[in-house]
């Protein structure tokens, strides 16, 4: 597979607790991975929240593990830097995974980058860094809009604008879409359609109405559908069979 | 193996006296103590075959290898050594895990804050000039430091000189900054992108000065740019360098060299103005250093000024009369 033509497809899920409606989010993340979509998760924690709430955030790690991505639990204040770090790491990890599966085809089943001597590993890593910088990125951001998140949404908004600064400093091309869950009518609502800039975000969050339920699983499923529809639509229009890189090869 | 770098980040520590042996090159290092730990790993002081070295181990093999690549580039491009030189790269086996590590030259010195505690404030400006000299060389070689902050610098010597200790965030010009710390990041303050270009480092260099004047740092308010300007103005340590720092913050310098030269000329001027402070000639004394001048001289100066002011007013009055009569 030619990585240079490919597009990285990532989901960034921002939540503060446990899902309580619909499909199991961990299963949906595994499904996403099968589609070559990486799921990264950020769990937001309040500075003085009780201990039992922290345990609820265990789900955060489980989702990212099964989605082949990266997770991080943070206090609200550190959100900005974490959002960009997790996204970047998630991208690197996806590319790393693809290269590992390529290596396995060449060198045999149990070979990974870690098994190479340090000098060779350095060369491979340079390729990974290159790709992370130059590949196009399609990112769907899923924001938990359940009641407890209401006070944190201003910070989330700020951190997403910050993320846009980071990603648009890359050489590759970016497309973002923003979804909230639960939406007004459905489990998921598309707040911002595909756009190269996240500046329009300010108005998007004011439309949000926080609800009581947290349908995390259905939200991930909606993201998968969005990616697949987009892909087939584009193929229909342009006729080109653009390649997506599959992160499930490791 | 892929999940090593999820949030768990199994932080494990080596103890003093523990020995690690490289799997590939078979070099042995015995740990003396921990020097510090950051986002990508922990740095230890250790003794190797040829004396004391700094050993960095990490839980994220990708990040460690990335850093090694940067260190290698340093040794490739520079005639003069900018960062610590790279000695060895290897893995060691710890229980079931294979842990990557690399070995650097151990630099002995003080942190910027420790150093400034024992030295006069003018040193801050001189350290900045040194830093800018090094940055100029780095930029010319096609690299941007990225995560420039006091934690990543050390003052070695005497003779005192700023050195870089952690070059992990160094990025090729034109790419996006890999690693940053909010307080030193122009994106955070709303003053630019995170594209690796010389002006990104010059912003951070200016922020290092601000940090030296405000060791506690501060949080961003709405108008980041205006806030930083106020911070520079309100500090007696920074205000002499105001013009240079503001240009650095607002991305007005095209190269580190340009900023360095401005900084040097401010430092020079500061010196000369103090030396030429006790002039004996009339008009200037009253405003500059009146207290030191002998009483008699002072009296005469005041008289001279009164006469000067009187004649000036008289001339203005004359003009006024002329203009009225026309």
């Amino acid at each position: 597979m030619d990585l240079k033509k490919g597009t990285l497809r990532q989901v960034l899920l921002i939540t503060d607790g446990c899902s309580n409606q619909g499909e199991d989010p961990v299963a949906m993340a595994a499904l996403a991975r099968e589609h070559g979509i990486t799921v990264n998760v950020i769990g937001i924690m309040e500075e003085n929240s009780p201990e039992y709430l922290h345990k609820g955030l265990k789900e955060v790690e489980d989702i990212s593990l099964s989605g082949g991505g990266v997770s991080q639990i943070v206090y609200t204040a550190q959100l900005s830097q974490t959002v960009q770090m997790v996204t970047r790491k998630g991208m690197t990890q996806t590319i790393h995974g693809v290269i590992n599966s390529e290596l396995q085809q060449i060198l045999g089943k149990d070979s990974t980058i870690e098994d190479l001597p340090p000098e060779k590993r350095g060369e491979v890593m340079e390729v990974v860094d290159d790709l992370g910088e130059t590949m196009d990125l399609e990112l769907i951001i899923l924001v938990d809009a359940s009641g407890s998140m209401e006070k944190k949404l201003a910070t989330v908004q700020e951190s997403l604008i910050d993320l846009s600064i980071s990603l648009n400093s890359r050489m590759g091309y970016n497309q973002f879409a923003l979804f909230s869950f639960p939406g007004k009518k459905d489990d998921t609502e598309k707040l911002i359609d595909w756009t190269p800039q996240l500046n329009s975000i300010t108005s998007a969050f004011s439309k949000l109405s926080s609800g009581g339920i947290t349908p995390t699983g259905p939200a991930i499923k909606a993201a998968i559908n969005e990616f697949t529809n987009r892909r087939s639509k584009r193929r229909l229009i342009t006729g080109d069979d653009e390649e997506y890189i599959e992160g499930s090869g490791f | 193996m892929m999940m090593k770098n999820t949030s768990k980040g199994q932080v494990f520590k080596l103890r003093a006296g523990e020995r690690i042996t490289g799997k590939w090159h078979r070099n042995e290092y015995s740990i003396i103590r921990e020097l510090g730990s950051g986002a990508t790993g922990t740095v230890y002081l250790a003794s190797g075959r040829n004396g004391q070295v700094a050993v960095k181990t990490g839980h994220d093999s990708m990040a460690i290898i990335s850093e090694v690549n940067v260190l290698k580039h340093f040794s490739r491009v520079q005639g003069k050594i900018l960062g610590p030189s790279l000695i060895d790269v290897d893995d060691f086996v710890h229980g079931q895990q294979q842990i990557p590590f690399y070995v650097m030259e151990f630099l002995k010195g003080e942190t910027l804050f420790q150093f400034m505690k024992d030295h006069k404030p003018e040193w801050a400006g001189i350290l900045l000039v040194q830093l800018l000299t090094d940055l100029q060389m780095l930029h010319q070689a096609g690299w941007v430091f990225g995560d420039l902050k006091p934690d990543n610098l050390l003052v070695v010597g005497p003779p005192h000189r700023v050195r870089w200790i952690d070059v992990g965030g160094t990025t090729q010009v034109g790419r996006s900054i890999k690693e940053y710390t909010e307080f030193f990041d122009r994106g955070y303050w709303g003053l630019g992108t995170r594209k690796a270009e010389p002006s990104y480092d010059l912003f951070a260099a200016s922020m290092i000065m601000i940090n030296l004047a405000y060791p506690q740092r501060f949080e961003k308010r709405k108008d980041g740019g205006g806030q930083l300007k106020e911070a520079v103005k309100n500090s007696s340590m920074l205000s002499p360098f105001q013009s240079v720092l503001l240009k650095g913050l607002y991305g007005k310098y095209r190269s580190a060299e340009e900023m360095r030269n401005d900084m040097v000329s401010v430092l020079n001027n500061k010196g000369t103005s103090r030396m030429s402070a006790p002039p004996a000639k009339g008009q200037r004394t009253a405003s500059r250093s009146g207290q030191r001048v002998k009483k008699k001289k002072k009296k005469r100066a005041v008289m001279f000024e009164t006469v000067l002011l009187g004649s000036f007013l008289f001339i203005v009055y004359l003009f006024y009369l002329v203009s009225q009569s026309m």
Side-chain angles (χ1 to χ4, degrees), chain B residues 125-247:
Chain B
I126 290 161
L127 296 178
L128 180 64
V129 168
Q130 293 180 345
L131 181 64
L132 290 168
T133 309
D134 287 355
L135 283 175
Q136 174 66 20
M137 288 176 58
L138 183 73
H139 295 161
Q140 268 177 340
W143 294 84
V144 164
F145 194 96
D147 199 7
L148 198 57
K149 57 177 173 180
D151 297 356
N152 287 341
L153 301 172
L154 209 62
V155 182
V156 299
H160 296 301
R161 184 86 179 73
V162 163
R163 288 287 303 265
W164 302 339
I165 44 170
D166 191 345
V167 296
T170 307
T171 310
Q172 266 169 283
V173 168
R175 300 197 157 193
S176 54
I177 294 293
K178 264 193 250 173
E179 229 177 273
Y180 63 85
T181 304
E182 278 178 351
F183 189 77
F184 304 92
D185 164 52
R186 68 179 182 189
Y188 170 77
W189 292 99
L191 289 170
T193 64
R194 296 205 177 100
K195 232 183 202 353
E197 47 197 19
S199 55
Y200 187 88
D201 278 347
L202 301 183
F203 176 90
S206 308
M207 288 307 290
I208 288 178
M209 288 292 278
I210 293 182
N211 194 189
L212 287 178
Y214 299 87
Q216 304 299 315
R217 302 187 189 171
F218 41 82
E219 295 245 314
K220 186 185 68 167
R221 292 192 307 266
K222 266 242 164 79
D223 169 27
Q227 187 186 351
L228 293 180
K229 190 176 179 179
E230 285 303 304
V232 173
K233 269 189 182 166
N234 295 338
S235 154
S236 59
M237 181 184 149
L238 301 179
S239 55
F241 308 116
Q242 186 174 330
S243 65
V244 184
L245 293 179
L246 291 183
K247 273 177 89 175

Side-chain angles (χ1 to χ4, degrees), chain A residues 32-85:
Chain A
R33 194 174 176 185
E34 289 304 316
H35 283 273
I37 302 163
T38 306
V39 184
N40 302 309
V41 195
I42 291 174
I44 308 182
M45 187 165 62
E46 262 166 279
E47 263 78 358
N48 35 26
S49 61
E51 189 62 29
Y52 69 90
L53 272 180
H54 296 190
K55 281 181 191 140
L57 290 168
K58 167 99 171 56
E59 191 182 76
V60 162
E61 197 179 317
D62 293 342
I63 296 173
S64 77
L65 274 175
S66 94
V70 176
S71 71
Q72 184 80 47
I73 291 168
V74 286
Y75 292 123
T76 322
Q78 295 139 4
L79 193 60
S80 284
Q81 201 155 13
T82 308
V83 161
Q84 79 88 29
M85 193 222 21

Side-chain angles (χ1 to χ4, degrees), chain A residues 61 71 81 84 88 93 96 114-115 119 121-122 125-126 129-130 133 162 166 169-170 250, chain B residues 2-3 5-8 24-25 60-62 65-66 69 91 98 175-177 180 182 194-195:
Chain A
E61 197 179 317
S71 71
Q81 201 155 13
Q84 79 88 29
R88 188 176 272 274
Q93 183 156 309
H96 195 209
E114 278 71 24
D115 297 323
E119 295 74 27
R121 209 184 300 158
M125 199 55 216
E126 225 154 90
D129 277 348
D130 271 5
E133 179 68 31
D162 192 79
S166 273
S169 299
R170 284 186 337 124
F250 43 91
Chain B
M2 277 307 303
M3 299 312 157
N5 50 341
T6 43
S7 62
K8 280 182 292 184
W24 305 89
H25 305 141
D60 182 347
S61 126
M62 290 184 269
I65 291 292
S66 261
N69 279 343
D91 303 309
Q98 173 176 310
R175 300 197 157 193
S176 54
I177 294 293
Y180 63 85
E182 278 178 351
R194 296 205 177 100
K195 232 183 202 353

